[in-house]
Amino acid sequence: MGPSGCGKTTLLNLLGNRVGSKGVQGTITLNGHKITKNSKRFVAYCTQDDIFFPHLTVKETLSYTARLRLPREMSRRDKLKQVENTMALLNLTKCANTIIGDHMTRGVSGGERKRANIASELLTDPSVILLDEPTSGLDSSLALELTKILKEFAVKQRKPIIMVIHQPSSQVFESFDKLMLMADGHMVYFGERAGVVKYLADQGYKCHPNFNPADYILELLNDNTIKQKLINAYTHKTRDDPTGKQIFEKYSRRTRADNQLNNTILNAPVTSERRWEATFLQQFSILTERTFKQNIKISLSKVNISQTIALTIFCILIWLQIPFSETNINDRIGSIFFGSVVWSFYVLSGSVSSFPLDLVMLSKERQSRSYRLLSYYLSKQIAELPLVLFNPALFTIPVYWATNLLPDFGRFVAYLVVVLLSALTSQSFGYLFGATILNVQKSITVSLSYVKYSYSLLLQIQFDSPKAQFRCARPEELPAGELSMCVGDDVPMSSIPGISIIENLGLNDLPWYANLMVLLGFCIVVRVLAYYSLRKNSRRNKE
């Protein structure tokens, strides 16, 4: 406990091995052994921010966590039973089937959200639980209720809980066993919570009997002069115990019977033979299911479907049954360009904007050794594939026939495939820019490079065909001063072949198969680059 900025959360992050080793001195042990990657998941860490996928229910959220993190020897039924027991312990049964929600979507209450955050860590049966301000944002009654639940759990399960807290109520304060006071990165007191008032009184700072000790302590530590005196006093008191060993032995709650187990249980290394509890295929399957269930409620929401239908109707009204005539060539080109570009940018912006939540969740779950990065990335590709393609297909199929594009089923299929491939390529760029944490404007600017190839390919599908013949315009049909494309040849023309239109546009520099290969290359290579970028940033966060 201590005032804001005193180093409470930094200390907790160090204990949880979440800030790397750069600039850190000393050692952190668990049962006398250094914490390793394989023992890290036995230390539960609940962040101050409750990070969840908003469209999953409480039960779904905990079930996926259990399936990923509980021992693989446990059956699925036993894992789900563990979820039920944990929800009952934290009074979450009533809201089990309520979505978590966020600032945009109504879900569980603030107290339930806090308890769900803690439940996701407790259900894995950790050896130590670290909590960063679990009562922040809660009123005094909810904070007390949560503290009582945690106290009961600590006593019954004999699990140490280390909690960072800023300014608890008197009832919450009295529930603590031991207390460490901090100020400016220094310890001011460590010992029994019940002894802190006497210690401060011995230093000349007596707390009034009817005053909340926690409020009084913060009042003292916010005074620079008093704070420095208390820091100096505690430094002087512990000058003969630089490692804290004497203090530890003085306040340890180990019994004589416990000490008899010293060389077996208490000093045994807390570790696991496996880096991950779930196998690669299990991780891939579980994450695919979770990602699909979360994203389908966003991608196929009523708002998104309504937007797609409205856009479809809008385009049909503008380009309804475009005639195969010279005067309407630009209309045909415009409809093709619009249909190509709009879904490219729609998918790109959606992929970039969705990545921040994914990256936060990825960091949280990777810290607890829940799954491999590769299983997460591959599952994301598979789960989002049908969701990304649904809206472009819903738009393209009716618009193609209603706007009178080339009436050939083979050309229609090719056109649809290119539109969907273009959407997937946009998603690839979205992954890359999201993984490298670029902003949306930079993302759109850089991604313009591939649109040329998809646009050229669509025009080739529509115009490079014997069926693509456009009736020459009569003089009165053309704007003043404009000549028909049919004029100037030695042989009079009654129609314009589509290939000559592509040549006039300067988009015949590559054959159709080359444009297709370039588009496929972009789609695959950029996804690979996105993975390695994500991997690099993930390692940087660990450091």
Side-chain angles (χ1 to χ4, degrees):
M1 195 177 83
S4 298
C6 69
K8 304 186 297 291
T9 298
T10 301
L11 175 60
L12 202 70
N13 286 334
L14 285 167
L15 294 177
N17 195 23
R18 297 202 166 219
V19 292
S21 57
K22 189 176 181 180
V24 179
Q25 295 180 339
T27 57
I28 301 169
T29 61
L30 190 60
N31 275 8
H33 298 266
K34 284 187 178 181
I35 296 177
T36 64
K37 288 183 177 180
N38 288 4
S39 64
K40 192 175 178 181
R41 66 171 176 268
F42 292 95
V43 180
Y45 188 104
C46 292
T47 59
Q48 183 176 350
D49 299 321
D50 308 317
I51 304 164
F52 292 108
F53 287 117
H55 294 284
L56 298 180
T57 66
V58 172
K59 187 174 182 178
E60 287 171 342
T61 298
L62 298 179
S63 297
Y64 287 125
T65 301
R67 290 166 61 189
L68 285 167
R69 296 179 59 187
L70 288 180
R72 67 178 66 169
E73 293 80 8
M74 290 180 67
S75 65
R76 182 167 177 172
R77 178 182 296 180
D78 290 339
K79 290 179 180 180
L80 297 181
K81 186 177 180 181
Q82 179 92 335
V83 170
E84 296 288 348
N85 293 338
T86 305
M87 287 195 298
L89 174 70
L90 290 165
N91 297 333
L92 290 169
T93 306
K94 290 183 179 180
C95 64
N97 296 315
T98 305
I99 63 170
I100 299 291
D102 56 12
H103 63 285
M104 297 285 290
T105 309
R106 185 177 179 181
V108 296
S109 67
E112 290 166 339
R113 191 181 178 93
K114 287 284 182 185
R115 296 202 300 275
N117 188 28
I118 295 171
S120 65
E121 296 297 332
L122 295 190
L123 67 83
T124 60
D125 192 29
S127 300
V128 182
I129 298 102
L130 308 178
L131 306 174
D132 187 10
E133 303 212 25
T135 60
S136 65
L138 303 181
D139 59 39
S140 57
S141 61
L142 288 176
L144 179 59
E145 179 189 358
L146 177 59
T147 306
K148 285 180 176 179
I149 291 172
L150 293 171
K151 176 77 171 183
E152 182 182 359
F153 176 84
V155 172
K156 284 185 177 180
Q157 303 293 325
R158 301 192 70 186
K159 303 278 188 182
I161 296 180
I162 302 173
M163 178 192 297
V164 161
I165 200 160
H166 178 65
Q167 193 166 7
S169 66
S170 57
Q171 290 175 295
V172 170
F173 182 77
E174 288 175 4
S175 68
F176 302 146
D177 298 306
K178 289 192 272 292
L179 177 69
M180 176 191 288
L181 293 182
M182 295 184 66
D184 293 346
H186 298 276
M187 274 202 294
V188 174
Y189 171 83
F190 177 74
E192 297 292 334
R193 184 266 313 157
V196 67
V197 174
K198 182 179 182 303
Y199 173 78
L200 292 174
D202 292 342
Q203 304 303 317
Y205 305 104
K206 188 174 182 180
C207 179
H208 192 278
N210 296 326
F211 206 74
N212 178 7
D215 292 337
Y216 181 67
I217 288 167
L218 286 180
E219 192 177 299
L220 294 177
L221 295 181
N222 280 317
D223 185 300
N224 290 331
T225 303
I226 298 174
K227 174 175 65 178
Q228 194 57 50
K229 287 181 179 178
L230 290 174
I231 291 172
N232 295 338
Y234 194 77
T235 302
H236 180 75
K237 180 185 176 183
T238 58
R239 65 188 183 281
D240 297 326
D241 184 27
T243 64
K245 184 178 180 181
Q246 295 174 21
I247 292 178
F248 167 75
E249 291 176 348
K250 179 180 179 180
Y251 294 109
S252 173
R253 289 179 176 262
R254 288 183 177 179
T255 64
R256 184 175 298 175
D258 289 336
N259 288 329
Q260 292 175 358
L261 300 173
N262 229 11
N263 296 324
T264 54
I265 298 174
L266 293 176
N267 284 347
V270 180
T271 187
S272 171
E273 296 178 358
R274 307 187 189 97
R275 294 183 67 185
W276 296 277
E277 287 297 347
T279 65
F280 179 84
L281 289 178
Q282 287 173 336
Q283 292 172 15
F284 175 75
S285 173
I286 294 166
L287 292 172
T288 300
E289 180 185 331
R290 186 180 71 172
T291 304
F292 183 81
K293 189 170 286 188
Q294 157 67 16
N295 289 353
I296 192 173
K297 296 175 183 177
I298 301 173
S299 299
L300 304 187
S301 66
K302 291 181 180 179
V303 173
N304 283 349
I305 296 295
S306 299
Q307 286 178 345
T308 301
I309 293 173
L311 186 63
T312 302
I313 295 172
F314 178 75
C315 291
I316 290 174
L317 291 175
I318 292 177
W319 290 298
L320 181 63
Q321 292 297 306
I322 305 172
F324 279 83
S325 64
E326 182 181 3
T327 54
N328 297 105
I329 289 174
N330 286 335
D331 293 333
R332 189 172 297 271
I333 292 172
S335 70
I336 294 170
F337 179 80
F338 181 84
S340 168
V341 172
V342 69
W343 291 111
S344 296
F345 290 120
Y346 176 86
V347 173
L348 175 69
S349 59
S351 298
V352 173
S353 60
S354 69
F355 236 91
L357 174 61
D358 281 6
L359 290 176
V360 172
M361 282 295 297
L362 178 65
S363 176
K364 172 190 172 183
E365 293 179 328
R366 290 270 294 158
Q367 288 280 7
S368 59
R369 309 293 294 173
S370 295
Y371 46 76
R372 296 172 173 86
L373 181 62
L374 182 59
S375 60
Y376 155 79
Y377 190 70
L378 291 178
S379 69
K380 185 175 175 66
Q381 315 289 308
I382 300 301
E384 293 184 350
L385 181 64
L387 303 178
V388 167
L389 300 181
F390 181 82
N391 284 315
L394 180 63
F395 170 87
T396 303
I397 294 171
V399 167
Y400 185 95
W401 297 107
T403 56
N404 197 29
L405 294 182
L406 203 62
D408 181 286
F409 185 75
R411 296 277 171 163
F412 159 71
V413 172
Y415 187 93
L416 178 62
V417 167
V418 173
V419 170
L420 298 183
L421 179 58
S422 181
L424 290 177
T425 306
S426 296
Q427 186 190 39
S428 302
F429 277 98
Y431 286 156
L432 177 61
F433 300 134
T436 51
I437 319 176
L438 291 176
N439 62 40
V440 177
Q441 286 185 335
K442 288 182 180 178
S443 305
I444 292 175
T445 302
V446 176
S447 65
L448 282 171
S449 57
Y450 80 90
V451 174
K452 172 194 180 286
Y453 301 98
S454 61
Y455 176 54
S456 297
L457 189 52
L458 290 175
L459 288 179
Q460 287 170 333
I461 291 170
Q462 286 299 301
F463 289 94
D464 191 2
S465 168
K467 293 183 180 180
Q469 298 293 329
F470 299 87
R471 179 182 60 81
C472 291
R474 293 185 291 271
E476 63 271 15
E477 294 177 332
L478 294 171
E482 184 175 323
L483 295 177
S484 171
M485 294 175 65
C486 301
V487 176
D489 292 327
D490 296 334
V491 180
M493 296 172 58
S494 60
S495 64
I496 305 168
I499 187 65
S500 63
I501 296 172
I502 299 177
E503 291 172 353
N504 286 341
L505 292 172
L507 294 174
N508 62 337
D509 50 339
L510 290 175
W512 68 268
Y513 55 85
N515 283 320
L516 180 61
M517 294 302 295
V518 170
L519 203 57
L520 276 170
F522 268 122
C523 186
I524 295 170
V525 171
V526 172
R527 284 175 189 258
V528 173
L529 290 175
Y531 171 73
Y532 281 103
S533 177
L534 191 62
R535 189 174 177 181
K536 181 179 178 181
N537 286 329
S538 179
R539 287 177 175 174
R540 186 182 301 163
N541 290 338
K542 287 181 182 179
E543 295 170 0

